[in-house]
């Protein structure tokens, strides 16, 4: 593990009740201050920033470098935001709670005066992009959807790499998304992998067009193409062989795919794609039954048979390190120091008084922020937990 970078490893154990209660109080104060200053949209913009999110996690006293920094912080935010009248609601969460996202979005959207259907569709597509559209060995297990009364939305979701027991967090913000299958993220935090099957990279646009065309040909034809791709990887040169093929290390290509899981076209999903006549890659990913193995199958065929590869660039953007915020109250695992209840309660008391006098709070907090703006924590305090 690299010291100084939050790698989000899996931690055992739970957060004690006394700390959860204080986390909730501090998160409530932060949310109220942010909404008061920047509005509901400003809150979502910050939640969709990987560094801000990690800093908030550190501020409230969660482990500075654990996978729980996503699940616990999101759960606290969900409880706080949904209990406040600020024009924002949160759906979903970890494990089984992520499956409740559509039903919760139906309820929350109506409460905010919005049509729930687009948000339910978006939630599903966002999850599909980060589980099938991008593949780096992480299995999605956390999905939280934030929606504001003006229609703005944000998503914080996380995947776990089982063999390494390390997580990766993906952030989305509606104002950042021009095309949900073309460089859509506001940020991705975690550990950079040597490669990732990235079908939503900007440079993979030709692949996305070809994948839609291939899906129209049906499962049997795709299976035939897979056999042809395997033959090419074994040294076979098709009759249409020409010079560009000489630059392809087919065995190395197949090895990359096999490390993610062997490509296998899922018949039900491909049959649905053919019957419905999908016209875009986002439509293709949105079909139930088009999962990671089918995307790998389409990518392998595109790369070895049609010489139209996806991208293998890992889209990770933030090996996040807002460690200084862990000095506010300490950390659950005693890094940089144990959480002190007295200090935590004093902080909550001070913020409570500031919130009662909103006319002064903004100026005071800005002055306080200047005191630590240029301060960096001692490197030796950055101990992996």
């Amino acid at each position: 593990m690299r010291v100084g970078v939050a790698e989000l490893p899996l931690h055992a154990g739970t957060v004690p009740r006394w700390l959860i209660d204080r986390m909730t109080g501090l998160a409530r104060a932060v949310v109220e201050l942010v909404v008061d200053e920047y509005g509901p949209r400003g809150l979502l913009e910050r939640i969709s920033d990987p560094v801000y999110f990690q800093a908030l996690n550190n501020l409230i006293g969660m482990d500075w470098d654990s996978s729980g920094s996503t699940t616990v912080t999101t759960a606290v935010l969900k409880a706080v935001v949904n209990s406040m009248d600020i024009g924002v609601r949160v759906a979903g969460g970890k494990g089984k709670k992520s499956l409740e996202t559509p039903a919760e979005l139906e309820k929350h959207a109506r409460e905010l005066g919005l049509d729930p259907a687009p948000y339910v569709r978006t939630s599903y597509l966002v999850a599909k992009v980060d589980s099938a559209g991008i593949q780096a060995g992480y299995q999605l297990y956390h999905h939280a959807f934030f929606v504001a009364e003006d229609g703005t939305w944000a998503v914080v979701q996380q995947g776990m790499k089982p063999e390494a027991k390390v997580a990766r967090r993906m952030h989305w913000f509606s104002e950042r998304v021009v095309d949900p299958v073309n460089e859509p993220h506001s940020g991705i935090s975690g550990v950079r992998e040597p490669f990732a099957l990235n079908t939503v990279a900007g440079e993979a646009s030709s692949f996305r067009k070809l994948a839609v065309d291939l899906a129209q040909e049906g499962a049997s034809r795709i299976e035939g193409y897979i056999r042809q791709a395997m033959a090419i990887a074994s040294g076979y040169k098709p009759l249409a062989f020409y010079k560009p093929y000489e630059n392809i290390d087919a065995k190395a290509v197949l090895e990359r795919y096999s490390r993610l899981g062997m490509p296998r076209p899922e018949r039900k999903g491909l049959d649905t794609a053919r019957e419905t006549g999908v016209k875009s890659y986002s439509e293709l990913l949105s079909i139930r039954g088009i999962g990671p193995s089918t995307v790998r199958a389409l990518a392998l065929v595109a790369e070895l048979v049609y010489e139209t590869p996806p991208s293998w660039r890992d889209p990770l953007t933030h090996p996040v390190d807002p460690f200084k915020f862990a000095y506010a109250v300490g950390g659950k695992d005693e890094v940089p120091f144990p959480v002190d209840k007295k200090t935590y309660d004093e902080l909550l008391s001070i913020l409570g008084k500031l919130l009662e006098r909103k006319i002064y709070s903004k100026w005071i907090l800005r002055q306080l922020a200047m005191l630590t703006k240029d301060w960096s924590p001692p490197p030796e305090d950055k101990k992996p937990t």
Side-chain angles (χ1 to χ4, degrees):
M1 180 176 290
R2 292 171 296 161
V3 176
V5 176
E7 293 194 335
L8 309 181
L10 177 63
H11 283 193
T14 58
V15 184
R17 185 74 254 174
W18 65 264
L19 183 52
I20 282 287
D21 291 342
R22 287 170 172 81
M23 286 178 171
T24 301
L26 183 51
R28 182 183 298 275
V30 170
V31 166
E32 186 172 343
L33 287 166
V34 169
V35 172
D36 185 48
E37 179 83 4
Y38 305 105
R41 179 178 297 206
L43 174 64
L44 268 58
E45 182 179 12
R46 283 156 181 77
I47 294 301
S48 65
D49 182 301
V51 174
Y52 185 94
F53 186 94
Q54 194 73 23
L56 177 59
N57 161 83
N58 294 359
L59 175 71
I60 64 177
M62 188 54 192
D63 306 332
W64 77 280
D65 64 343
S66 81
S67 61
S69 63
T70 302
T71 57
V72 172
T73 302
T74 303
V76 169
L77 284 171
K78 181 179 180 180
V80 165
V81 169
N82 287 350
S83 68
M84 301 173 72
D85 184 17
I86 56 172
V88 180
R89 291 290 184 271
V90 188
K94 177 184 176 183
K96 291 182 179 179
K97 290 190 179 297
S98 66
L99 302 178
E100 299 170 3
T101 304
E104 291 182 351
L105 278 177
E106 291 269 357
K107 174 178 176 291
H108 294 328
R110 290 197 172 93
E111 289 174 349
L112 296 172
L114 302 169
D115 177 8
Y119 301 101
V120 173
R121 288 195 299 270
T122 297
S123 170
Y124 184 75
L125 178 57
V126 165
K128 263 301 190 62
V129 167
D130 285 339
S131 60
I134 298 174
Q135 299 181 43
Y138 293 83
Q139 298 175 9
L140 203 65
Y141 73 101
H142 175 276
H143 174 89
F145 198 104
F146 296 70
V147 60
E149 59 191 359
D150 67 351
T152 308
W153 56 266
V155 171
V156 178
Q157 55 189 9
Q158 183 160 281
M160 180 66 69
K161 195 169 191 176
E163 65 275 16
K165 294 185 178 180
V166 66
R168 169 174 292 203
R169 186 172 65 238
M170 291 72 72
H171 294 255
W172 296 61
F173 182 48
S174 58
E175 302 301 284
R176 169 71 173 75
V177 179
V178 176
D179 180 345
V181 294
N182 184 12
E183 305 286 356
H185 296 91
S186 56
I188 300 176
S189 64
V191 180
R192 187 172 300 282
E193 300 290 342
F195 62 85
L197 175 59
N198 184 356
T199 69
V200 299
E203 62 269 25
S205 60
S206 295
F207 160 77
R208 291 192 289 272
K209 293 176 183 176
L210 177 58
V212 174
D213 292 339
L214 288 172
Q216 305 287 355
E217 299 192 27
S220 296
R221 185 65 67 88
I222 299 299
E223 289 169 350
Y225 287 141
I226 289 286
R227 289 191 291 272
Q228 184 178 344
M230 294 295 188
I232 292 172
S234 298
Y236 165 74
K237 295 182 179 180
L239 293 176
F241 180 83
Y242 60 102
K243 196 169 184 63
Y245 264 103
E246 295 178 355
N247 300 320
I248 297 176
D249 185 345
K251 286 186 177 180
V253 169
L254 186 59
E255 173 63 19
R256 281 201 299 261
Y257 284 98
S258 64
R259 286 178 62 180
L260 295 173
M262 288 306 293
R264 180 178 58 83
E266 298 153 298
R267 281 186 164 270
K268 185 176 181 180
L270 286 170
D271 287 344
T272 302
R274 187 178 189 183
E275 291 166 5
T276 56
V278 292
K279 295 180 175 60
S280 69
Y281 191 61
S282 59
E283 287 181 21
L284 179 61
L285 281 184
S286 296
I287 292 176
R288 296 186 184 275
I290 298 291
S293 62
T294 295
V295 172
R296 289 195 298 271
L298 294 172
L300 179 63
V301 170
E303 185 159 7
L304 289 187
V305 178
Y306 286 93
E307 299 179 79
T308 308
S311 171
W312 288 99
R313 171 178 57 85
D314 187 347
L316 186 121
T317 58
H318 291 73
V320 292
D321 180 26
F323 182 62
K324 66 185 289 184
F325 292 93
Y327 284 80
V329 297
K332 179 177 75 68
D333 278 359
E334 303 186 358
V335 176
F337 50 81
V339 174
D340 180 72
K341 295 180 183 178
K342 182 180 178 182
T343 300
Y344 212 134
D345 291 342
E346 287 178 351
L347 175 61
L348 289 172
S349 176
I350 292 170
L351 287 175
K353 291 176 182 177
L354 286 174
L355 287 168
E356 291 173 5
R357 304 159 56 198
K358 288 186 178 180
I359 189 171
Y360 303 112
S361 65
K362 297 176 185 178
W363 179 84
I364 293 173
L365 289 172
R366 284 172 182 159
Q367 292 300 111
L368 288 172
M370 294 301 296
L371 297 176
T372 60
K373 181 180 179 182
D374 298 320
W375 177 78
S376 296
E380 61 271 17
D381 283 358
K382 291 183 180 178
K383 300 174 183 177
T385 63

